Amino acid sequence: MPFSEFQLLRPRGLSEAIAVLDSADKSVRATRVLAGGTDLLPSMRQKLFEPEYVLDLRLVHELKGVRETEEGIEIGALTTLREIEHSQILREFYPVLTEAARTVASPVIRNMGTIGGNICLDTRCLWYNQSLAWRKSCGFCIKKDGDLCHVAPGGSKCWAAFSGDTPPALLCLNAEIEIASSSGTRRITLRDFYTGIGDNYRKLQPNELLTRIILPRNTAGYSGAYRKLRIRGSIDYPLAGIAVACQRSNGCVKDLRIGITAVNPAPMLVQGTDSMIRNGSSPEQVAEAAADLAARTAKPLTTSALTPEYRREMIRVFTRRAVSALLAADN
Ligand SMILES: Cc1cc2nc3c(=O)[nH]c(=O)nc-3n(C[C@H](O)[C@H](O)[C@H](O)COP(=O)(O)OP(=O)(O)OC[C@H]3O[C@@H](n4cnc5c(N)ncnc54)[C@H](O)[C@@H]3O)c2cc1C
Ligand code: SF4
C-alpha cells in the first residue's frame, strides 16, 4: 500500500529539530518523528498514521552514541540497536540491555532501528496492526478510527500491548530519560514515561523529543538475562518477554529486578521481589517465587495470535529459568 503524501523535514542539529517540531506542531495534521523508521514506516503504509510532516532525525548526530559520564552511561536516543548490542562497556556493565537489544527483529532491522524508537514504540494488537481494508472490514476500533474494542467489548479502554524488547531491561536498570522541547529539557524515570493505556501509551507531547537515556552507576555490574516468546524465532516482536537483573555480594542476593513486556499496555517492573530475597530463601525458592510474582503481574489479553493463558504461563517459565540461571552463574 502506498504512503499518503507527506513533507519530509531533515534538520541538521538538535536545536533545529526542536524548532521545526515546535512550528510544525501548530499545523492542522500532526508531525511524526522518524528515527530508524522500522516501525513508523510500516505503520504509515497501513495508514495507521498519515502525518502531514515527517521529521527525520537521522542527521541529528548529537543524539548518537554511548558515552561514559559522571552519573553512569548516557545513550543517545538515535543510537542503533546494533551499536548497543556490540557496545563493550554496555556488555560488561549492563548485560541485560545488550541481551535484550540482541533479540530485536533481525540484524538488518537492528542496523536501522534505534533505542529511542524502541522506547517510543507504538503498542500492538491483532486488530490494529493491519491494513486499512482489513480494519475497515471489522468496523475499526478505539485505537484508530472506531469506538469499540474487539478485545474487551463493552469497555472503553484500549488494551494493545507494549511490545518493545529493551524497555523491560532499562526498567531493571533504573534508567532515566531526557525529553527536550522548545521550553527546555525534563528528565523522568523510564517507569514514569508509560501510562498503561494502549491508545495513549506514553507521556510525550507532540512538540517533544526523546534525547538521551541515562543508566545510573548503582545498577552497573548487575548480571542480567532476557528471554522472549515469539512466533518466528529469526525476526519477530515479543508476545511475552522478561528481563532479569541481579546484584549479589558474598554469595547473597542483594537485589533482584524483573521487568516484563508484551503482556500489558506498558512494560512493567515486577513489585515485591525485595521481601522475597530478604527472608533467606534458597535459590530454587527465589526462582519459584519470582516466577509467580511475574505471572501475576502479566495481564495478557487476546491482542495477539497466541492465547493469553500461554503467554502468561511463558512469563512464569521464562522467569523461573532466567532467575535460576543467574543465581547459579553468580554462585
Ligand atoms: C519485521 C519487524 C520485526 C520487528 N521485531 C521487533 C522485535 O522483535 N522487538 C522490538 O522491540 N521491536 C521490533 N520491531 C520494531 C522496531 O524495529 C524496533 O522497535 C525499533 O527499535 C524501532 O526503532 P526505530 O528507530 O526504527 O523507530 P521508528 O520506527 O523511527 O519510530 C518508532 C516510534 O517512535 C517515535 N520516535 C522514535 N524516536 C523518537 C525520539 N527520539 N523522540 C520521540 N519519538 C521518537 C516515532 O515517532 C514512532 O512513533 C520490528 C519491526 C519489524 C518491521
Ligand atoms: S485492544 Fe481493543 S481498542 Fe486496542 S487496538 Fe486492540 S481492539 Fe483496538
Side-chain angles (χ1 to χ4, degrees):
M1 195 177 282
F3 290 116
S4 300
E5 200 169 299
F6 63 86
Q7 203 178 323
L8 187 67
L9 309 170
R10 273 214 171 124
R12 291 184 168 271
L14 182 57
S15 46
E16 190 185 335
I18 288 170
V20 168
L21 199 54
D22 204 41
S23 50
D25 176 37
K26 297 183 181 71
S27 68
V28 183
R29 271 164 61 192
T31 303
R32 283 275 154 185
V33 171
L34 180 136
T38 59
D39 191 65
L40 182 70
L41 295 178
S43 300
M44 283 172 60
R45 280 193 192 279
Q46 291 180 321
K47 311 275 187 241
L48 293 170
F49 305 115
E50 295 177 85
E52 185 171 4
Y53 300 103
V54 171
L55 182 80
D56 180 357
L57 291 181
R58 282 175 294 181
L59 297 180
V60 182
H61 298 293
E62 299 108 290
L63 298 185
K64 297 178 185 172
V66 177
R67 285 171 288 273
E68 198 171 354
T69 66
E70 277 185 6
E71 287 181 86
I73 296 284
E74 170 188 307
I75 307 174
L78 219 57
T79 308
T80 63
L81 294 166
R82 180 187 156 79
E83 199 177 333
I84 287 167
E85 178 190 356
H86 292 281
S87 159
Q88 195 54 47
I89 194 160
L90 290 178
R91 194 178 305 171
E92 189 173 345
F93 292 105
Y94 302 97
V96 65
L97 178 59
T98 49
E99 261 217 39
R102 196 168 39 141
T103 71
V104 174
S106 66
V108 172
I109 290 178
R110 293 198 293 278
N111 268 336
M112 296 175 71
T114 65
I115 182 110
N118 204 239
I119 290 171
C120 294
L121 194 64
D122 194 9
T123 52
R124 297 183 63 79
C125 176
L126 196 59
W127 300 89
Y128 169 72
N129 298 97
Q130 302 288 354
S131 68
L132 178 62
W134 196 103
R135 287 183 287 118
K136 191 173 177 187
S137 72
C138 298
F140 298 108
C141 75
I142 293 170
K143 187 158 162 70
K144 176 77 180 146
D145 299 329
D147 54 11
L148 69 106
C149 173
H150 303 284
V151 168
S156 56
K157 186 177 167 185
C158 168
W159 296 94
F162 180 84
S163 308
D165 282 304
T166 64
L170 292 168
L171 288 178
C172 288
L173 297 172
N174 266 344
E176 295 192 1
I177 55 173
E178 184 188 80
I179 291 169
S181 71
S182 54
S183 3
T185 58
R186 64 187 174 99
R187 202 158 132 177
I188 55 170
T189 60
L190 182 63
R191 200 173 166 169
D192 288 335
F193 182 60
Y194 299 105
T195 62
I197 302 167
D199 57 342
N200 185 17
Y201 60 99
R202 58 185 189 186
K203 295 178 193 158
L204 192 72
Q205 297 303 315
N207 68 338
E208 290 184 322
L209 277 180
L210 170 60
T211 48
R212 294 189 300 150
I213 297 100
I214 301 106
L215 303 178
R217 279 196 192 280
N218 62 12
T219 53
Y222 275 42
S223 56
Y226 183 73
R227 301 281 180 276
K228 77 190 257 191
L229 174 69
R230 51 184 158 181
I231 292 181
R232 298 168 297 178
S234 57
I235 174 173
D236 233 334
Y237 291 88
L239 295 181
I242 63 110
V244 180
C246 175
Q247 184 194 40
R248 294 192 79 167
S249 164
N250 299 327
C252 296
V253 182
K254 292 281 178 214
D255 194 12
L256 181 67
R257 307 173 67 86
I258 302 163
I260 61 174
T261 191
V263 281
N264 298 80
M268 293 179 73
L269 208 50
V270 173
Q271 300 299 311
T273 50
D274 298 2
S275 51
M276 209 172 63
I277 56 178
R278 246 187 256 123
N279 61 14
S281 317
S282 68
E284 293 74 24
Q285 288 169 321
V286 171
E288 206 55 60
D292 252 11
L293 277 182
R296 266 189 272 137
T297 311
K299 306 266 186 277
L301 294 173
T302 50
T303 53
S304 79
L306 298 180
T307 65
E309 294 78 11
Y310 180 58
R311 287 158 64 206
R312 195 154 183 256
E313 189 52 26
M314 289 312 288
I315 289 281
R316 181 193 305 280
V317 170
F318 283 150
T319 306
R320 187 172 53 231
R321 287 183 190 163
V323 172
S324 298
L326 277 190
L327 296 189
D330 279 353
N331 257 326

